[in-house]
Amino acid sequence: MPNERTDLLQGTLDMLILKTLSLEPQHGWGISQRIQQISRDVLQVYQGSLYPALHRLELAGWITSEWGASDNNRRAKFYKLTAAGRRQLKEERQNWERLSDAITRILQTS
Amino acid sequence: MLRRLRLAVARVSSLLERGRFESDLDDELRFHLEMETEKNLKLGMRFEEARACAVRSFGGVVRVKDEVRSLRGYDRLDALWQDLRYGARALLQSPGFAGAVVLTLGLGIGANTAIFSVVYGIIVKPLPYGAGGRLVALDRRAPGLKLDSLPFSVREIDELREKSNTLASIAEYHTMPFILLGAGEPERVQTGVVSASYFEVLSVTPLLGRGFVPADESPGAEPVLLLTHDYWRERHASDPEVVGRLFEMNDRVHRVVGVLPPLPRYPDENDVFMPISACPFRSNENFVADRMDRMMSVLARMKSNVTLAEVRRDLAAIAAEQRRANPLAYPDSRGHAIEARLLKDELTLRARPTFLLLLATAGFVLLIACANVANIHLSRLLRRKAELDLRSAIGASRGRIVCQLLAESTMLSLAGGALGVVLAWLGLDLLVGFASRLSPRASEIGLDGNVLSFALALSFATGAASGVLPALAIRPPRQDRSSTTVHRARTLRAILVVAELALSLTLLVGAGLMLRSLASLERVDAGYRPQRVLGMLLDLDWSRYDRDRIRDFHRSLLDRVSEHAGVVSVAVGRTVPLDSTGEPATTLVNVEGCRHDRGGVEPMVDVHSVSEGYFETIGAPLVLGRGFSRDDDNTAPLVAILNLTAARRLWPGEDPLGRRVSGPDGLWHTVVGVVGDIRHYDLDTDPSSSVYVPIAQAPLRVANLVVRAKTDPRPLVEELKGIVHSLDPGQAVSHIQTLEEARHQDLTPPKLMSSLLALFAALALLIAAFGLSGTLMLEVSARTHELGVRLALGASPLRIQVMVLREGIVLAVAGLSLGLGSSLISMRRLQEFLFEVEPHDPLTLATVSILMLGVAAIASSWAARRATAIDPLTALRAD
């Protein structure tokens, strides 16, 4: 199985999913649209990695899922953030900020 | 940690919801694709385009599914399930192969399970006594007498109780037959006579009622009985009301106070137990006072903080003190020592070598079976090489293929294991019967959970062993230049076949030696002719028979029986030759005018009281002088007859007739005849010195009636019983058997042992022969092309046959030399089982070598015939 994504990106995707779900419960397609929208189309979410990521987060207990009706009244699987997921998001966010700060500092010294 | 745990739980629970998971995933992805398609439609695409775009952006539905599945832990399970299904299909497609493997392994695992159940039940399982590891059996030894174990006297046991500081508790035991009245016809019950502490020492709690208490053994206490479990079941139909019942024994009323749980039949096969106060012999004052009057054996429990070595030192000190204090009772010429042996060893020692040997043999058979199954797997692998190459070409990893092969071999070995358990169960009765002759623990043998776990573990192990070798021979096709897989597999097969042949030859040598031993045993001249002779035991009730009455009873019995038309001759004697219950009655003799140096030890002889006609009845030849007659009664001069061994030992090179010997009573008996050596007790030890005296001059309360009949003696039994009961209605008759039956029983253990070994060896040889011909056939099919070319170029079929044959013989000879080498090393272990055969007996080695080469030749020629059945044209097209 070729996997072109680095761990960083994968970890980032997890964080983005958690962030998206911290606003409201959402189904997979909605999450992918939301990320694209907010990032002003900079970030294209590969569904190929979206769904495995969702299942991984669910297994880790950070999100839960239930079936519900979508806006157009179809059966869709909605994901929502758990308390553990909220803590995890906070942690990842701090990590991310430390990391990007460090990278920014490195790039500025020259 | 906690997260991991949660993950694991989630995984497991998701495993259980497999079906729903799949359909949910499908729905979820379908919804995504629909939404994406609709979005594309809104962007103005046509439907097909919108759909295709959506799918493209998704990046492979199948891959996503796979990834999610593997996240959920479904991939490994899937793979296994797939392997199993695929394997089962593949196996069903070749039922012959599957059948051969299951049968081979079934026989191997069955043999091992059966033998293991015996080894476990007798040797491994803890004794059914509480803390059985601390129990010891004590033996008195007199080194000068060359006897293994001598009994103790009351005085000696009292001193042990007083002086030992390593033994927590000590119990005495002896056994006697008594006549029990009140349970139908008079019954002879074997009675264990024990101190009240006996069952406490063993930590045995009665099943019903109570055990013995100290008050039971005080002189004059009410006689009480404990029934053994077997006796209670067989004679009293497990009657729960038996406690409190009264029986008459030895002219006193005995009350049953309890029933024992099932226990090993140790030290003897007793029916009932009584405390020492109830035994008329043990409670006799003179007996209690006499240090030299020895009858009991001793069981003891070691204190919890001492070792066996400390116990032995303790006992040596006590024995030394006894020798110092009583020089007359322990003459220096005999010596005196007390030894302790663990009860566990005592109970298993005789069975251990036999069953460990059988277990090793069965293990070898399984090893050969495994090698052969690995071999079959290999050949199948080669035939399936194309398929496996294809599978690895479409991306199956090597690991996956190995897993696949292991799944197949494990499925087969589990099926073999199931068959094996059934076979073991079928053969168990035979083995238990065999084991019961070697250990009192045989009743504890069974296919319990432990034995079944052993069979299961063995099945998995054989599955892995037979599957992993072929799997290792595989090389991925990319690295498989010049078909290394095929080459490696062929080399491996040759090695396996040589190993199989070598092992089976070793087993054949073992079996051959045992069979030769058995043949020598059967050829042993036991010194009598057992045909048409019947024996039965008459144990006269001691409370009603004194010496004169015993004499009268025997006299009238002989007279009455000899009048019977079907009887050729009749006699009474101390033993029935080779009867399993017979034991030597050794005593010291004084020889008149003792003029030879016997190393300070008086000669020991085995004494038999026999009536006139004893030698004629059992068919033992008189060598010198005369036999006994009616006139050798208690009023006539005392006489004796020696066997040849005794005559040669007491008067080497001289005429023994007219010489005199005396026993412990000091009465001189004149030798009037010499009889041939009779093996009274077993066939495999040299006859000892025996002295026969007329039963009228040395009456015996417990003696056997022996009758030689004109035809089959069996029909006479009821009439003979009738004669006994007409003389004494209260007389029990037991141990009714023909002399042929007794001899047959004596030969049963060696017969069973050698037949089991022969069976295992034959199995091994058969498996190895199949392995050899299979290997050669594979060679042939691998070289079909080459052979076809040779045939087409005019090579004669015969030459090709010879070529294949030669390969077979090369393998066979390699196996043979390896096997002979290992036999030479390992057969010394068999020494103790062999009778008149050396472990390196050249005849046996030669015979089994020829047998093996013959079988190998047949297997090879079978393969060779297949080789020349190749049609050159097809062969040329084969590649």
Side-chain angles (χ1 to χ4, degrees):
Chain A
M1 300 284 162
N3 197 345
E4 302 105 5
R5 327 202 97 62
T6 61
D7 282 349
L8 172 74
L9 276 174
Q10 197 173 35
T12 318
L13 176 63
D14 289 359
M15 187 172 71
L16 294 177
I17 293 171
L18 293 175
K19 174 67 198 166
T20 310
L21 289 179
S22 71
L23 307 173
E24 57 171 343
Q26 190 54 280
H27 44 68
W29 189 74
I31 295 170
S32 70
Q33 296 308 304
R34 186 66 59 89
I35 292 175
Q36 230 168 303
Q37 227 175 335
I38 296 177
S39 69
R40 305 203 186 88
D41 284 349
V42 170
L43 293 176
Q44 258 280 4
V45 180
Y46 255 110
Q47 287 81 3
S49 29
L50 174 69
Y51 284 97
L54 283 170
H55 283 267
R56 193 170 50 242
L57 295 174
E58 190 181 357
L59 276 173
W62 296 328
I63 59 178
T64 56
S65 65
E66 54 184 18
W67 289 89
S70 65
D71 303 342
N72 54 5
N73 240 339
R74 289 213 199 114
R75 191 169 168 268
K77 193 174 182 185
F78 283 86
Y79 293 91
K80 78 173 191 262
L81 204 60
T82 62
R86 219 169 273 287
R87 280 197 298 277
Q88 178 67 16
L89 174 61
K90 204 168 137 194
E91 208 172 294
E92 291 207 8
R93 197 171 164 163
Q94 285 166 355
N95 278 343
W96 172 258
E97 280 164 4
R98 266 205 304 277
L99 188 66
S100 59
D101 272 359
I103 291 172
T104 315
R105 269 203 303 279
I106 290 167
L107 292 175
Q108 282 167 349
T109 59
S110 53
Chain B
M1 186 63 226
L2 201 69
R3 218 177 70 200
R4 257 211 205 142
L5 193 71
R6 210 178 24 234
L7 200 69
V9 171
R11 269 199 170 170
V12 170
S13 65
S14 70
L15 282 181
L16 301 175
E17 303 169 343
R18 180 69 201 262
R20 225 189 64 210
F21 161 82
E22 286 287 341
S23 67
D24 280 1
L25 187 61
D26 282 347
D27 286 355
E28 189 176 11
L29 300 183
R30 197 179 308 120
F31 171 79
H32 186 109
L33 285 174
E34 282 167 4
M35 296 296 282
E36 190 73 19
T37 309
E38 276 171 39
K39 189 178 108 182
N40 291 344
L41 284 172
K42 282 182 192 144
L43 292 174
M45 292 185 194
R46 280 197 332 277
F47 181 77
E48 286 81 14
E49 201 184 340
R51 174 86 191 165
C53 218
V55 171
R56 228 188 353 265
S57 81
F58 200 95
V61 178
V62 177
R63 222 199 53 188
V64 170
K65 273 194 186 175
D66 270 349
E67 210 168 321
V68 172
R69 270 191 211 117
S70 89
L71 260 177
R72 297 265 175 183
Y74 287 137
D75 55 338
R76 257 165 282 171
L77 196 74
D78 260 1
L80 181 64
W81 179 237
Q82 215 178 12
D83 283 348
L84 289 175
R85 277 214 327 249
Y86 184 87
R89 245 204 333 269
L91 293 178
L92 287 174
Q93 279 165 1
S94 42
F97 151 79
V101 171
V102 170
L103 188 66
T104 310
L105 289 180
L107 289 168
I109 294 173
N112 278 278
T113 305
I115 305 288
F116 177 80
S117 68
V118 176
V119 169
Y120 178 78
I122 291 183
I123 299 169
V124 182
K125 215 193 314 198
L127 292 182
Y129 309 122
R134 310 211 60 76
L135 293 172
V136 287
L138 304 191
D139 287 316
R140 214 178 66 77
R141 295 260 161 96
L145 291 184
K146 296 197 190 72
L147 287 175
D148 274 353
S149 172
L150 298 164
F152 292 86
S153 62
V154 179
R155 295 276 299 277
E156 285 165 340
I157 295 173
D158 287 345
E159 279 166 15
L160 280 172
R161 280 210 183 89
E162 274 164 45
K163 295 177 179 160
S164 155
N165 45 30
T166 55
L167 299 173
S169 49
I170 291 174
E172 66 163 82
Y173 163 93
H174 73 273
T175 184
M176 296 197 143
F178 292 118
I179 306 287
L180 180 136
L181 302 169
E185 66 174 75
E187 196 185 344
R188 179 176 186 267
V189 288
Q190 196 62 39
T191 309
V193 181
V194 295
S195 48
S197 60
Y198 185 79
F199 292 106
E200 217 169 293
V201 170
L202 291 178
S203 281
V204 168
T205 333
L207 196 68
L208 298 175
R210 63 166 176 93
F212 293 143
V213 293
D216 290 333
E217 69 176 30
S218 54
E222 181 204 17
V224 292
L225 292 176
L226 275 171
L227 309 187
T228 59
H229 196 265
D230 284 335
Y231 174 76
W232 174 60
R233 205 187 56 231
E234 286 159 22
R235 302 288 311 179
H236 296 278
S238 302
D239 175 10
E241 303 294 307
V242 80
V243 174
R245 280 194 61 189
L246 303 174
F247 294 102
E248 195 182 320
M249 270 169 119
N250 310 329
D251 291 345
R252 296 169 74 191
V253 173
H254 291 57
R255 193 163 53 89
V256 175
V257 292
V259 175
L260 292 166
L263 291 170
R265 301 194 117 188
Y266 174 84
D268 300 284
E269 300 199 358
N270 288 306
D271 301 311
V272 302
F273 282 88
M274 63 169 49
I276 49 179
S277 59
C279 170
F281 300 89
R282 171 62 180 81
S283 50
N284 177 302
E285 278 173 32
N286 297 334
F287 175 83
V288 171
D290 186 353
R291 172 180 295 273
M292 309 277 280
D293 215 343
R294 302 180 175 109
M295 175 169 76
M296 283 84 69
S297 51
V298 175
L299 272 182
R301 181 174 284 278
M302 302 194 288
K303 286 185 177 167
S304 53
N305 55 349
V306 300
T307 63
L308 187 61
E310 284 169 331
V311 171
R312 286 181 170 150
R313 275 198 295 278
D314 182 25
L315 293 172
I318 295 172
E321 196 173 327
Q322 284 173 335
R323 275 201 310 272
R324 258 198 315 278
N326 314 282
L328 286 177
Y330 308 106
D332 285 343
S333 63
R334 296 185 202 176
H336 164 64
I338 304 173
E339 298 222 345
R341 277 178 302 159
L342 287 175
L343 187 63
K344 174 143 196 165
D345 292 344
E346 175 90 355
L347 287 171
T348 62
L349 224 48
R350 280 185 60 215
R352 191 186 297 242
T354 300
F355 283 101
L356 289 182
L357 175 73
L358 284 172
L359 190 62
T361 311
F364 276 140
V365 173
L366 187 60
L367 212 56
I368 294 173
C370 261
N372 204 44
V373 169
N375 226 331
I376 297 175
H377 279 306
L378 266 174
S379 66
R380 237 174 121 245
L381 192 69
L382 292 176
R383 252 178 279 146
R384 290 167 59 192
K385 194 169 174 314
E387 168 217 336
L388 293 171
D389 284 352
L390 180 69
R391 291 191 71 198
S392 61
I394 59 170
S397 64
R398 180 163 176 226
R400 268 307 296 277
I401 290 182
V402 170
C403 276
Q404 150 84 55
L405 294 172
L406 275 177
E408 273 179 39
S409 68
T410 307
M411 263 193 287
L412 286 174
S413 68
L414 285 176
L419 175 66
V421 169
V422 172
L423 292 176
W425 182 72
L426 291 174
L428 200 64
D429 280 353
L430 181 78
L431 275 179
V432 171
F434 176 24
S436 65
R437 309 180 142 270
L438 297 169
S439 168
R441 298 192 72 187
S443 58
E444 298 175 61
I445 297 167
L447 291 180
D448 59 4
N450 290 301
V451 176
L452 292 177
S453 316
F454 171 83
L456 189 66
L458 210 54
S459 308
F460 273 113
T462 52
S466 57
V468 84
L469 263 180
L472 291 179
I474 302 181
R475 277 278 165 271
R478 282 190 299 284
Q479 304 168 25
D480 198 356
R481 282 189 304 275
S482 74
S483 62
T484 12
T485 298
V486 175
H487 185 73
R488 285 159 62 101
R490 276 162 67 180
T491 317
L492 245 174
R493 291 207 58 165
I495 292 171
L496 284 173
V497 163
V498 169
E500 281 178 48
L501 290 167
L503 276 176
S504 64
L505 183 87
T506 312
L507 294 190
L508 282 171
V509 172
L513 290 172
M514 292 299 288
L515 286 169
R516 287 214 56 199
S517 285
L518 181 67
S520 339
L521 262 182
E522 287 185 315
R523 268 201 314 273
V524 166
D525 177 13
Y528 66 99
R529 288 175 296 115
Q531 296 78 15
R532 302 193 309 281
V533 184
L534 182 80
M536 52 176 68
L537 182 69
L538 298 169
D539 183 345
L540 302 179
D541 188 344
W542 66 273
S543 62
R544 294 186 291 119
Y545 283 87
D546 59 8
R547 289 172 66 100
D548 288 335
R549 283 204 58 186
I550 294 172
R551 249 193 298 268
D552 295 345
F553 178 85
H554 285 157
R555 186 69 271 149
S556 0
L557 181 67
L558 288 173
D559 291 342
R560 290 283 302 277
V561 174
S562 56
E563 286 164 12
H564 191 290
V567 171
V568 177
S569 78
V570 57
V572 176
R574 191 177 64 80
T575 64
V576 168
L578 293 186
D579 169 38
S580 57
T581 58
E583 282 186 354
T586 10
T587 182
L588 298 163
V589 285
N590 303 305
V591 176
E592 193 179 31
C594 167
R595 283 173 296 114
H596 12 253
D597 177 18
R598 280 185 295 274
V601 178
E602 312 95 315
M604 303 279 299
V605 299
D606 180 24
V607 180
H608 292 261
S609 293
V610 299
S611 71
E612 78 271 10
Y614 183 79
F615 301 123
E616 295 93 294
T617 305
I618 64 168
L622 211 59
V623 182
L624 275 179
R626 66 172 179 91
F628 295 136
S629 74
R630 279 189 77 125
D631 302 336
D632 294 314
D633 59 13
N634 51 328
T635 60
L638 300 178
V639 289
I641 293 177
L642 306 183
N643 72 347
L644 267 173
T645 303
R648 288 184 187 134
R649 174 132 186 256
L650 302 182
W651 293 281
E654 299 175 49
D655 179 5
L657 296 184
R659 305 295 187 119
R660 300 204 304 166
V661 286
S662 76
D665 56 8
L667 299 171
W668 292 98
H669 290 249
T670 308
V671 177
V672 294
V674 174
V675 71
D677 287 339
I678 301 166
R679 288 175 200 252
H680 285 278
Y681 312 109
D682 49 37
L683 289 167
D684 59 358
T685 43
D686 291 335
S688 52
S689 307
S690 303
V691 172
Y692 299 87
V693 291
I695 200 162
Q697 295 178 356
L700 267 190
R701 200 171 52 77
V702 182
N704 290 275
L705 180 72
V706 281
V707 176
R708 180 174 287 275
K710 287 192 172 121
T711 54
D712 176 23
R714 274 272 155 202
L716 297 180
V717 170
E718 285 312 311
E719 290 178 72
L720 292 171
K721 267 180 157 177
I723 293 174
V724 170
H725 286 143
S726 72
L727 293 171
D728 179 354
Q731 180 52 51
V733 178
S734 59
H735 287 80
I736 302 164
Q737 58 181 350
T738 64
L739 265 57
E740 278 171 318
E741 283 164 1
R743 183 188 159 97
H744 178 77
Q745 288 228 332
D746 191 69
L747 279 169
T748 301
K751 257 191 187 142
L752 263 173
M753 176 94 179
S754 38
S755 8
L756 277 174
L757 283 179
L759 178 75
F760 288 167
L763 259 178
L765 182 63
L766 195 69
I767 295 171
F770 273 115
L772 178 66
S773 66
T775 302
L776 291 174
M777 278 195 234
L778 189 85
E779 278 298 292
V780 170
S781 68
R783 292 164 51 189
T784 298
H785 185 69
E786 175 211 342
L787 296 176
V789 171
R790 287 183 180 219
L791 280 170
L793 293 178
S796 76
L798 189 67
R799 274 195 49 192
I800 290 187
Q801 287 204 11
V802 168
M803 196 175 76
V804 176
L805 260 176
R806 200 174 50 215
E807 274 175 31
I809 298 296
V810 165
L811 289 174
V813 169
L816 182 76
S817 28
L818 256 177
L820 284 177
S822 74
S823 302
L824 289 179
I825 295 165
S826 57
M827 286 309 144
R828 277 199 303 275
R829 291 279 171 96
L830 272 183
Q831 185 78 58
E832 65 176 299
F833 296 102
L834 300 181
F835 177 71
E836 291 185 359
V837 174
E838 283 306 306
H840 301 154
D841 177 47
L843 183 64
T844 308
L845 290 177
T847 313
V848 299
S849 302
I850 289 165
L851 174 69
M852 194 193 91
L853 284 179
V855 170
I858 292 169
S860 310
S861 66
W862 194 48
R865 268 209 301 284
R866 291 268 309 250
T868 46
I870 297 169
D871 171 21
L873 277 176
T874 346
L876 289 176
R877 282 195 226 107
D879 282 6

